[in-house]
Each structure stands twice: as C-alpha cells, then as structure tokens.
Amino acid sequence: MKILVLNGPNLNLLGEREPEIYGKDSFEELGRKIEGWAKELGMVVDIRQSNHEGDLVDAIQEARTWASGIVLNAGALTHSSYALRDVIAAVKIPVVEVHLSNVFAREEFRKRSIISPVCIGQISGFGHLSYHLALQALRELGLRRLTVV
Ligand code: DQA
C-alpha cells in the first residue's frame, strides 16, 4: 500500500516555527517517525513538502497513478485553497486531512477548512501522532475494502 504524505507551506520550518504550538522536532525528525510507522503498518510512504500551492496540486494529480491514499497537512492552504479542494475531489483517492495543532482551539480563521468536505476525515491536535492515526485509518480502510471485494 503506497501512501503520499503531503505537507504544505511552512511545515519545512517545524522545530523552529512556533515550537510551543508545533513542537520542537524538525520536519526531518517527523519524516523519520512517519517512515517507522509506515513500516510497522506494512505501508510505503512518499513524504513531500512544498510551500507552493501549484506543487501540491501537481503532487495530488500525480498520486492518482500510484497512491492508494493521501495524508495531507495543507498548512494554511487548508483555510483558503479552492484549487486543493477541487483536485482532491477530482482524483478520487482517499485523503485524510491532518493537523499537528487543534485548529478548533485557535484563531477563528483556522476553524474553517475548505478541504474537509472532500476528505474522508480530519485528524487535528495530536502533534506527530496525527500522522500515525491517519496512516492507521487508511490501512484499516484499505484492508476493509480488500475484505469486501
Ligand atoms: C497546521 C494548522 C494550520 O492552521 C497552519 O496554518 C499550519 C499548520 C497544523 O498542522 O496544525 O501551517 O496545518
């Protein structure tokens, strides 16, 4: 099971960016944890990050040729990007929206997600664990689909 783990603007600054909210670990450290969890779950992950909306749209379009699921932390684009919303709806790959912080416990603008309605679910507020939970959800769904067929 191949999964795209896609990260949007400013997530490359993890560790130095508002550590009281996003934690002290770097993006690379988070990546290593995700690799480990994926291995345990029997999944293969391709972890990417871009600060550019178009790159994220391209990555999601390309994923339709190889990925069984997407874990997406779109950063601030969560709250503003209609292009991301449309590409998620277009590709028909299950996308789990993740956030390190609890977006509902923060500023008003973070409570609205443009992408939630086209994602299969949202996991918010568990730090790095949000990514682990998202991988687990995709694996469970994949296995269930296999059992049904
Ligand atoms: C975030 C929450 C967003 O509101 C914010 O813009 C981010 C990170 C999170 O992981 O908690 O960049 O997606």
Side-chain angles (χ1 to χ4, degrees), residues 70-131:
I70 299 175
V71 175
L72 174 64
N73 185 345
L77 290 172
T78 303
H79 318 295
S80 66
S81 176
Y82 295 105
L84 276 181
R85 186 241 173 256
D86 280 356
V87 73
I88 294 166
V91 295
K92 297 189 176 76
I93 304 169
V95 178
V96 181
E97 175 186 348
V98 300
H99 300 285
L100 294 157
S101 63
N102 178 356
V103 287
F104 298 101
R106 301 181 61 196
E107 300 93 328
E108 275 305 311
F109 77 89
R110 293 188 206 276
K111 294 181 183 164
R112 178 160 176 253
S113 167
I114 304 289
I115 63 174
S116 283
V118 288
C119 291
I120 57 167
Q122 190 209 56
I123 299 168
S124 167
F126 297 97
H128 291 183
L129 201 55
S130 292
Y131 288 78

Short mmCIF file of all heavy atoms in Angstrom, two decimals, residues 70-131:
data_model
loop_
_atom_site.label_atom_id
_atom_site.label_comp_id
_atom_site.label_asym_id
_atom_site.label_seq_id
_atom_site.Cartn_x
_atom_site.Cartn_y
_atom_site.Cartn_z
N ILE A 70 -3.82 9.36 0.57
CA ILE A 70 -3.01 10.56 0.81
C ILE A 70 -3.25 11.06 2.23
O ILE A 70 -4.40 11.13 2.69
CB ILE A 70 -3.37 11.69 -0.19
CG1 ILE A 70 -3.11 11.25 -1.64
CG2 ILE A 70 -2.59 12.97 0.12
CD1 ILE A 70 -3.54 12.25 -2.71
N VAL A 71 -2.15 11.35 2.92
CA VAL A 71 -2.23 12.06 4.20
C VAL A 71 -1.81 13.49 3.89
O VAL A 71 -0.70 13.72 3.39
CB VAL A 71 -1.28 11.42 5.24
CG1 VAL A 71 -1.27 12.24 6.53
CG2 VAL A 71 -1.67 9.97 5.51
N LEU A 72 -2.70 14.43 4.14
CA LEU A 72 -2.45 15.80 3.71
C LEU A 72 -2.50 16.79 4.87
O LEU A 72 -3.54 16.95 5.52
CB LEU A 72 -3.50 16.22 2.66
CG LEU A 72 -3.47 17.67 2.19
CD1 LEU A 72 -2.17 18.01 1.46
CD2 LEU A 72 -4.66 17.97 1.28
N ASN A 73 -1.35 17.42 5.14
CA ASN A 73 -1.35 18.59 6.01
C ASN A 73 -1.11 19.79 5.10
O ASN A 73 0.03 20.07 4.71
CB ASN A 73 -0.26 18.51 7.09
CG ASN A 73 -0.36 19.66 8.07
OD1 ASN A 73 -1.06 20.66 7.81
ND2 ASN A 73 0.32 19.55 9.20
N ALA A 74 -2.17 20.47 4.75
CA ALA A 74 -2.08 21.56 3.77
C ALA A 74 -1.65 22.87 4.41
O ALA A 74 -1.59 23.90 3.72
CB ALA A 74 -3.41 21.72 3.05
N GLY A 75 -1.35 22.86 5.71
CA GLY A 75 -0.95 24.10 6.39
C GLY A 75 -2.04 25.15 6.22
O GLY A 75 -3.24 24.83 6.20
N ALA A 76 -1.64 26.40 6.03
CA ALA A 76 -2.62 27.49 5.94
C ALA A 76 -3.50 27.38 4.70
O ALA A 76 -4.61 27.95 4.67
CB ALA A 76 -1.90 28.83 5.97
N LEU A 77 -3.06 26.63 3.69
CA LEU A 77 -3.89 26.48 2.48
C LEU A 77 -5.19 25.72 2.78
O LEU A 77 -6.15 25.81 2.03
CB LEU A 77 -3.10 25.76 1.38
CG LEU A 77 -1.95 26.58 0.77
CD1 LEU A 77 -1.12 25.71 -0.16
CD2 LEU A 77 -2.50 27.79 0.02
N THR A 78 -5.19 25.00 3.90
CA THR A 78 -6.41 24.34 4.38
C THR A 78 -7.57 25.33 4.43
O THR A 78 -8.71 24.98 4.13
CB THR A 78 -6.17 23.83 5.84
OG1 THR A 78 -5.05 22.98 5.85
CG2 THR A 78 -7.40 23.15 6.40
N HIS A 79 -7.25 26.54 4.83
CA HIS A 79 -8.28 27.53 5.11
C HIS A 79 -8.58 28.45 3.93
O HIS A 79 -9.40 29.35 4.04
CB HIS A 79 -7.86 28.37 6.32
CG HIS A 79 -7.25 27.56 7.42
ND1 HIS A 79 -7.97 26.62 8.12
CD2 HIS A 79 -5.97 27.50 7.91
CE1 HIS A 79 -7.17 26.04 9.02
NE2 HIS A 79 -5.96 26.55 8.90
N SER A 80 -7.89 28.23 2.80
CA SER A 80 -8.05 29.19 1.71
C SER A 80 -8.07 28.60 0.31
O SER A 80 -8.46 29.28 -0.63
CB SER A 80 -6.90 30.22 1.77
OG SER A 80 -5.66 29.57 1.51
N SER A 81 -7.65 27.34 0.14
CA SER A 81 -7.38 26.88 -1.23
C SER A 81 -8.53 26.11 -1.89
O SER A 81 -8.78 24.94 -1.57
CB SER A 81 -6.13 25.99 -1.24
OG SER A 81 -5.93 25.48 -2.55
N TYR A 82 -9.16 26.75 -2.86
CA TYR A 82 -10.19 26.07 -3.65
C TYR A 82 -9.55 25.13 -4.66
O TYR A 82 -10.15 24.13 -5.05
CB TYR A 82 -11.10 27.10 -4.33
CG TYR A 82 -11.89 27.91 -3.34
CD1 TYR A 82 -11.55 29.22 -3.05
CD2 TYR A 82 -12.96 27.33 -2.64
CE1 TYR A 82 -12.25 29.96 -2.09
CE2 TYR A 82 -13.67 28.05 -1.69
CZ TYR A 82 -13.30 29.36 -1.42
OH TYR A 82 -14.00 30.07 -0.47
N ALA A 83 -8.31 25.45 -5.06
CA ALA A 83 -7.61 24.56 -6.01
C ALA A 83 -7.32 23.21 -5.37
O ALA A 83 -7.48 22.16 -6.00
CB ALA A 83 -6.32 25.23 -6.47
N LEU A 84 -6.94 23.22 -4.10
CA LEU A 84 -6.70 21.94 -3.41
C LEU A 84 -8.01 21.18 -3.21
O LEU A 84 -8.07 19.97 -3.39
CB LEU A 84 -6.05 22.18 -2.04
CG LEU A 84 -4.53 22.36 -2.02
CD1 LEU A 84 -4.03 22.57 -0.60
CD2 LEU A 84 -3.82 21.16 -2.65
N ARG A 85 -9.04 21.91 -2.87
CA ARG A 85 -10.35 21.27 -2.71
C ARG A 85 -10.77 20.57 -4.00
O ARG A 85 -11.21 19.41 -4.00
CB ARG A 85 -11.38 22.33 -2.30
CG ARG A 85 -12.74 21.75 -1.97
CD ARG A 85 -13.81 22.29 -2.90
NE ARG A 85 -15.07 21.61 -2.69
CZ ARG A 85 -15.56 20.67 -3.50
NH1 ARG A 85 -14.90 20.28 -4.57
NH2 ARG A 85 -16.71 20.10 -3.25
N ASP A 86 -10.59 21.27 -5.12
CA ASP A 86 -11.03 20.72 -6.40
C ASP A 86 -10.19 19.52 -6.83
O ASP A 86 -10.73 18.55 -7.38
CB ASP A 86 -10.97 21.80 -7.49
CG ASP A 86 -12.18 22.72 -7.43
OD1 ASP A 86 -13.09 22.47 -6.61
OD2 ASP A 86 -12.22 23.69 -8.21
N VAL A 87 -8.88 19.57 -6.59
CA VAL A 87 -8.05 18.44 -7.03
C VAL A 87 -8.34 17.20 -6.17
O VAL A 87 -8.34 16.07 -6.67
CB VAL A 87 -6.54 18.79 -7.08
CG1 VAL A 87 -5.92 18.91 -5.70
CG2 VAL A 87 -5.79 17.74 -7.89
N ILE A 88 -8.62 17.40 -4.90
CA ILE A 88 -8.95 16.25 -4.04
C ILE A 88 -10.25 15.61 -4.54
O ILE A 88 -10.35 14.39 -4.67
CB ILE A 88 -9.09 16.69 -2.56
CG1 ILE A 88 -7.74 17.15 -2.01
CG2 ILE A 88 -9.64 15.54 -1.71
CD1 ILE A 88 -7.83 17.90 -0.69
N ALA A 89 -11.22 16.45 -4.88
CA ALA A 89 -12.49 15.93 -5.40
C ALA A 89 -12.27 15.23 -6.74
O ALA A 89 -12.93 14.23 -7.06
CB ALA A 89 -13.50 17.06 -5.57
N ALA A 90 -11.32 15.72 -7.53
CA ALA A 90 -11.10 15.18 -8.88
C ALA A 90 -10.46 13.80 -8.87
O ALA A 90 -10.81 12.95 -9.68
CB ALA A 90 -10.22 16.15 -9.69
N VAL A 91 -9.51 13.55 -7.95
CA VAL A 91 -8.70 12.34 -8.07
C VAL A 91 -9.33 11.08 -7.49
O VAL A 91 -8.91 9.97 -7.80
CB VAL A 91 -7.28 12.52 -7.47
CG1 VAL A 91 -6.51 13.56 -8.25
CG2 VAL A 91 -7.33 12.83 -5.99
N LYS A 92 -10.30 11.23 -6.61
CA LYS A 92 -10.99 10.07 -6.03
C LYS A 92 -10.06 9.12 -5.26
O LYS A 92 -10.28 7.92 -5.23
CB LYS A 92 -11.74 9.29 -7.11
CG LYS A 92 -12.84 10.09 -7.78
CD LYS A 92 -13.70 9.22 -8.68
CE LYS A 92 -14.85 9.98 -9.27
NZ LYS A 92 -14.44 10.88 -10.37
N ILE A 93 -8.98 9.66 -4.72
CA ILE A 93 -8.12 8.89 -3.81
C ILE A 93 -8.53 9.30 -2.40
O ILE A 93 -8.74 10.50 -2.17
CB ILE A 93 -6.62 9.25 -4.01
CG1 ILE A 93 -6.20 9.06 -5.46
CG2 ILE A 93 -5.74 8.43 -3.08
CD1 ILE A 93 -4.82 9.64 -5.75
N PRO A 94 -8.66 8.34 -1.45
CA PRO A 94 -8.99 8.77 -0.09
C PRO A 94 -7.92 9.69 0.51
O PRO A 94 -6.74 9.32 0.53
CB PRO A 94 -9.12 7.46 0.70
CG PRO A 94 -8.52 6.40 -0.15
CD PRO A 94 -8.55 6.88 -1.57
N VAL A 95 -8.35 10.86 0.93
CA VAL A 95 -7.42 11.83 1.53
C VAL A 95 -7.81 12.05 2.99
O VAL A 95 -8.98 12.33 3.29
CB VAL A 95 -7.47 13.18 0.77
CG1 VAL A 95 -6.55 14.21 1.43
CG2 VAL A 95 -7.08 13.00 -0.69
N VAL A 96 -6.83 11.90 3.89
CA VAL A 96 -7.06 12.22 5.30
C VAL A 96 -6.39 13.56 5.58
O VAL A 96 -5.19 13.72 5.37
CB VAL A 96 -6.47 11.14 6.24
CG1 VAL A 96 -6.77 11.49 7.69
CG2 VAL A 96 -7.04 9.76 5.90
N GLU A 97 -7.18 14.51 6.05
CA GLU A 97 -6.66 15.83 6.40
C GLU A 97 -6.07 15.76 7.80
O GLU A 97 -6.73 15.30 8.73
CB GLU A 97 -7.83 16.83 6.37
CG GLU A 97 -7.45 18.23 6.84
CD GLU A 97 -8.68 19.14 6.94
OE1 GLU A 97 -9.78 18.79 6.45
OE2 GLU A 97 -8.53 20.22 7.53
N VAL A 98 -4.83 16.19 7.95
CA VAL A 98 -4.23 16.17 9.28
C VAL A 98 -3.70 17.55 9.67
O VAL A 98 -3.31 18.36 8.82
CB VAL A 98 -3.06 15.15 9.40
CG1 VAL A 98 -3.51 13.74 9.13
CG2 VAL A 98 -1.86 15.52 8.56
N HIS A 99 -3.70 17.78 10.97
CA HIS A 99 -3.08 18.97 11.55
C HIS A 99 -2.38 18.59 12.83
O HIS A 99 -2.90 17.79 13.61
CB HIS A 99 -4.14 20.05 11.85
CG HIS A 99 -4.88 20.46 10.62
ND1 HIS A 99 -4.32 21.27 9.67
CD2 HIS A 99 -6.12 20.13 10.17
CE1 HIS A 99 -5.19 21.43 8.67
NE2 HIS A 99 -6.28 20.75 8.95
N LEU A 100 -1.22 19.17 13.03
CA LEU A 100 -0.48 18.94 14.27
C LEU A 100 -1.23 19.58 15.44
O LEU A 100 -1.40 18.97 16.49
CB LEU A 100 0.92 19.56 14.16
CG LEU A 100 1.84 18.91 13.12
CD1 LEU A 100 2.92 19.88 12.69
CD2 LEU A 100 2.44 17.63 13.67
N SER A 101 -1.66 20.82 15.24
CA SER A 101 -2.35 21.55 16.30
C SER A 101 -3.85 21.31 16.22
O SER A 101 -4.36 20.84 15.19
CB SER A 101 -2.05 23.05 16.17
OG SER A 101 -2.58 23.53 14.93
N ASN A 102 -4.54 21.64 17.31
CA ASN A 102 -6.01 21.56 17.30
C ASN A 102 -6.53 22.86 16.69
O ASN A 102 -6.62 23.88 17.37
CB ASN A 102 -6.52 21.37 18.72
CG ASN A 102 -8.04 21.32 18.77
OD1 ASN A 102 -8.71 21.51 17.74
ND2 ASN A 102 -8.58 21.09 19.95
N VAL A 103 -6.87 22.80 15.41
CA VAL A 103 -7.25 24.02 14.70
C VAL A 103 -8.52 24.66 15.27
O VAL A 103 -8.75 25.86 15.08
CB VAL A 103 -7.40 23.77 13.18
CG1 VAL A 103 -6.04 23.59 12.52
CG2 VAL A 103 -8.31 22.59 12.87
N PHE A 104 -9.31 23.88 16.00
CA PHE A 104 -10.56 24.42 16.58
C PHE A 104 -10.32 25.18 17.88
O PHE A 104 -11.21 25.86 18.38
CB PHE A 104 -11.57 23.29 16.79
CG PHE A 104 -11.93 22.64 15.48
CD1 PHE A 104 -11.37 21.43 15.11
CD2 PHE A 104 -12.80 23.27 14.60
CE1 PHE A 104 -11.67 20.85 13.90
CE2 PHE A 104 -13.10 22.70 13.38
CZ PHE A 104 -12.53 21.48 13.02
N ALA A 105 -9.13 25.04 18.43
CA ALA A 105 -8.82 25.70 19.69
C ALA A 105 -7.98 26.96 19.46
O ALA A 105 -7.41 27.52 20.40
CB ALA A 105 -8.07 24.74 20.61
N ARG A 106 -7.89 27.38 18.18
CA ARG A 106 -7.01 28.51 17.85
C ARG A 106 -7.82 29.67 17.24
O ARG A 106 -8.97 29.85 17.58
CB ARG A 106 -5.90 28.00 16.92
CG ARG A 106 -5.08 26.87 17.57
CD ARG A 106 -3.97 26.39 16.67
NE ARG A 106 -3.03 27.48 16.36
CZ ARG A 106 -2.16 27.42 15.35
NH1 ARG A 106 -2.10 26.35 14.58
NH2 ARG A 106 -1.34 28.43 15.13
N GLU A 107 -7.19 30.43 16.36
CA GLU A 107 -7.87 31.60 15.78
C GLU A 107 -9.10 31.17 14.98
O GLU A 107 -9.16 30.06 14.46
CB GLU A 107 -6.92 32.36 14.84
CG GLU A 107 -5.65 32.89 15.47
CD GLU A 107 -4.48 31.93 15.34
OE1 GLU A 107 -4.69 30.69 15.33
OE2 GLU A 107 -3.34 32.43 15.27
N GLU A 108 -10.05 32.11 14.87
CA GLU A 108 -11.30 31.84 14.15
C GLU A 108 -11.06 31.31 12.73
O GLU A 108 -11.71 30.37 12.29
CB GLU A 108 -12.16 33.11 14.07
CG GLU A 108 -13.02 33.35 15.29
CD GLU A 108 -13.94 32.20 15.65
OE1 GLU A 108 -14.63 31.68 14.77
OE2 GLU A 108 -13.94 31.79 16.83
N PHE A 109 -10.11 31.93 12.00
CA PHE A 109 -9.94 31.56 10.59
C PHE A 109 -9.51 30.11 10.42
O PHE A 109 -9.72 29.50 9.38
CB PHE A 109 -8.96 32.51 9.87
CG PHE A 109 -7.49 32.28 10.15
CD1 PHE A 109 -6.76 31.40 9.37
CD2 PHE A 109 -6.84 32.94 11.18
CE1 PHE A 109 -5.41 31.17 9.59
CE2 PHE A 109 -5.48 32.72 11.43
CZ PHE A 109 -4.77 31.83 10.64
N ARG A 110 -8.91 29.52 11.49
CA ARG A 110 -8.45 28.13 11.37
C ARG A 110 -9.59 27.13 11.56
O ARG A 110 -9.45 25.95 11.31
CB ARG A 110 -7.35 27.85 12.40
CG ARG A 110 -6.09 28.61 12.13
CD ARG A 110 -4.96 28.17 13.05
NE ARG A 110 -4.01 29.25 13.21
CZ ARG A 110 -3.02 29.51 12.37
NH1 ARG A 110 -2.82 28.74 11.33
NH2 ARG A 110 -2.21 30.53 12.57
N LYS A 111 -10.73 27.61 12.04
CA LYS A 111 -11.85 26.68 12.30
C LYS A 111 -12.54 26.28 11.01
O LYS A 111 -13.34 25.35 10.98
CB LYS A 111 -12.86 27.33 13.25
CG LYS A 111 -12.27 27.55 14.62
CD LYS A 111 -13.25 28.17 15.57
CE LYS A 111 -12.54 28.42 16.90
NZ LYS A 111 -13.26 29.33 17.76
N ARG A 112 -12.26 27.01 9.92
CA ARG A 112 -12.89 26.69 8.64
C ARG A 112 -11.88 26.01 7.73
O ARG A 112 -10.81 26.55 7.45
CB ARG A 112 -13.40 27.98 7.99
CG ARG A 112 -14.02 27.76 6.65
CD ARG A 112 -14.91 28.93 6.28
NE ARG A 112 -15.43 28.75 4.92
CZ ARG A 112 -15.01 29.45 3.87
NH1 ARG A 112 -14.08 30.38 4.01
NH2 ARG A 112 -15.53 29.23 2.68
N SER A 113 -12.23 24.80 7.30
CA SER A 113 -11.39 24.09 6.34
C SER A 113 -12.13 24.00 5.02
O SER A 113 -13.26 23.51 4.96
CB SER A 113 -11.06 22.68 6.85
OG SER A 113 -10.51 21.91 5.78
N ILE A 114 -11.46 24.47 3.96
CA ILE A 114 -12.06 24.40 2.62
C ILE A 114 -12.02 22.95 2.11
O ILE A 114 -12.84 22.55 1.29
CB ILE A 114 -11.26 25.31 1.64
CG1 ILE A 114 -11.18 26.75 2.14
CG2 ILE A 114 -11.83 25.24 0.22
CD1 ILE A 114 -12.47 27.52 2.09
N ILE A 115 -11.04 22.18 2.60
CA ILE A 115 -10.83 20.83 2.05
C ILE A 115 -11.58 19.72 2.80
O ILE A 115 -11.78 18.64 2.24
CB ILE A 115 -9.32 20.49 1.96
CG1 ILE A 115 -8.66 20.46 3.34
CG2 ILE A 115 -8.60 21.48 1.04
CD1 ILE A 115 -7.20 19.97 3.33
N SER A 116 -12.00 19.97 4.03
CA SER A 116 -12.65 18.91 4.82
C SER A 116 -13.80 18.21 4.11
O SER A 116 -13.90 16.97 4.17
CB SER A 116 -13.18 19.46 6.15
OG SER A 116 -12.13 19.62 7.05
N PRO A 117 -14.69 18.94 3.41
CA PRO A 117 -15.84 18.26 2.80
C PRO A 117 -15.46 17.22 1.74
O PRO A 117 -16.26 16.33 1.45
CB PRO A 117 -16.64 19.42 2.16
CG PRO A 117 -16.21 20.64 2.89
CD PRO A 117 -14.78 20.41 3.26
N VAL A 118 -14.26 17.32 1.16
CA VAL A 118 -13.87 16.36 0.14
C VAL A 118 -12.83 15.35 0.65
O VAL A 118 -12.36 14.49 -0.10
CB VAL A 118 -13.37 17.06 -1.16
CG1 VAL A 118 -14.54 17.70 -1.89
CG2 VAL A 118 -12.28 18.09 -0.86
N CYS A 119 -12.48 15.47 1.94
CA CYS A 119 -11.58 14.47 2.55
C CYS A 119 -12.43 13.39 3.22
O CYS A 119 -13.61 13.62 3.53
CB CYS A 119 -10.69 15.14 3.60
SG CYS A 119 -9.47 16.27 2.88
N ILE A 120 -11.83 12.22 3.46
CA ILE A 120 -12.63 11.17 4.12
C ILE A 120 -12.73 11.45 5.62
O ILE A 120 -13.62 10.94 6.29
CB ILE A 120 -12.09 9.75 3.85
CG1 ILE A 120 -10.63 9.62 4.28
CG2 ILE A 120 -12.27 9.38 2.38
CD1 ILE A 120 -10.16 8.17 4.33
N GLY A 121 -11.82 12.26 6.15
CA GLY A 121 -11.89 12.62 7.56
C GLY A 121 -10.77 13.57 7.92
O GLY A 121 -9.88 13.82 7.11
N GLN A 122 -10.85 14.08 9.15
CA GLN A 122 -9.85 15.04 9.60
C GLN A 122 -9.32 14.63 10.96
O GLN A 122 -10.09 14.19 11.82
CB GLN A 122 -10.50 16.42 9.71
CG GLN A 122 -9.51 17.54 9.94
CD GLN A 122 -10.12 18.69 10.72
OE1 GLN A 122 -10.63 18.50 11.82
NE2 GLN A 122 -10.06 19.88 10.16
N ILE A 123 -8.01 14.72 11.14
CA ILE A 123 -7.38 14.42 12.43
C ILE A 123 -6.58 15.65 12.82
O ILE A 123 -5.69 16.09 12.09
CB ILE A 123 -6.48 13.18 12.34
CG1 ILE A 123 -7.31 11.96 11.93
CG2 ILE A 123 -5.78 12.92 13.68
CD1 ILE A 123 -6.50 10.74 11.53
N SER A 124 -6.90 16.22 13.98
CA SER A 124 -6.35 17.52 14.34
C SER A 124 -6.01 17.55 15.82
O SER A 124 -6.83 17.15 16.65
CB SER A 124 -7.41 18.57 14.01
OG SER A 124 -7.11 19.81 14.57
N GLY A 125 -4.79 17.98 16.14
CA GLY A 125 -4.50 18.26 17.54
C GLY A 125 -3.62 17.25 18.25
O GLY A 125 -3.36 17.39 19.45
N PHE A 126 -3.13 16.24 17.57
CA PHE A 126 -2.36 15.19 18.24
C PHE A 126 -0.87 15.26 17.95
O PHE A 126 -0.15 14.28 18.14
CB PHE A 126 -2.92 13.82 17.86
CG PHE A 126 -4.34 13.62 18.32
CD1 PHE A 126 -5.40 13.84 17.44
CD2 PHE A 126 -4.62 13.26 19.63
CE1 PHE A 126 -6.71 13.67 17.87
CE2 PHE A 126 -5.93 13.09 20.06
CZ PHE A 126 -6.98 13.31 19.18
N GLY A 127 -0.40 16.40 17.46
CA GLY A 127 1.02 16.52 17.14
C GLY A 127 1.41 15.49 16.09
O GLY A 127 0.64 15.21 15.16
N HIS A 128 2.59 14.90 16.24
CA HIS A 128 3.06 13.90 15.26
C HIS A 128 2.10 12.73 15.13
O HIS A 128 1.96 12.12 14.07
CB HIS A 128 4.43 13.37 15.66
CG HIS A 128 5.52 14.38 15.53
ND1 HIS A 128 6.83 14.10 15.79
CD2 HIS A 128 5.49 15.69 15.15
CE1 HIS A 128 7.57 15.18 15.58
NE2 HIS A 128 6.77 16.16 15.20
N LEU A 129 1.45 12.43 16.26
CA LEU A 129 0.52 11.29 16.29
C LEU A 129 -0.62 11.45 15.27
O LEU A 129 -1.19 10.45 14.81
CB LEU A 129 -0.04 11.18 17.71
CG LEU A 129 -0.64 9.87 18.17
CD1 LEU A 129 0.36 8.74 18.00
CD2 LEU A 129 -1.07 9.99 19.63
N SER A 130 -0.93 12.69 14.90
CA SER A 130 -1.99 12.91 13.88
C SER A 130 -1.66 12.14 12.62
O SER A 130 -2.53 11.55 11.97
CB SER A 130 -2.13 14.40 13.55
OG SER A 130 -2.64 15.13 14.65
N TYR A 131 -0.37 12.12 12.25
CA TYR A 131 0.04 11.41 11.02
C TYR A 131 -0.07 9.90 11.21
O TYR A 131 -0.45 9.17 10.29
CB TYR A 131 1.49 11.77 10.66
CG TYR A 131 1.68 13.18 10.14
CD1 TYR A 131 1.71 14.27 11.00
CD2 TYR A 131 1.83 13.42 8.77
CE1 TYR A 131 1.89 15.56 10.53
CE2 TYR A 131 2.01 14.72 8.29
CZ TYR A 131 2.04 15.78 9.18
OH TYR A 131 2.21 17.05 8.69
#
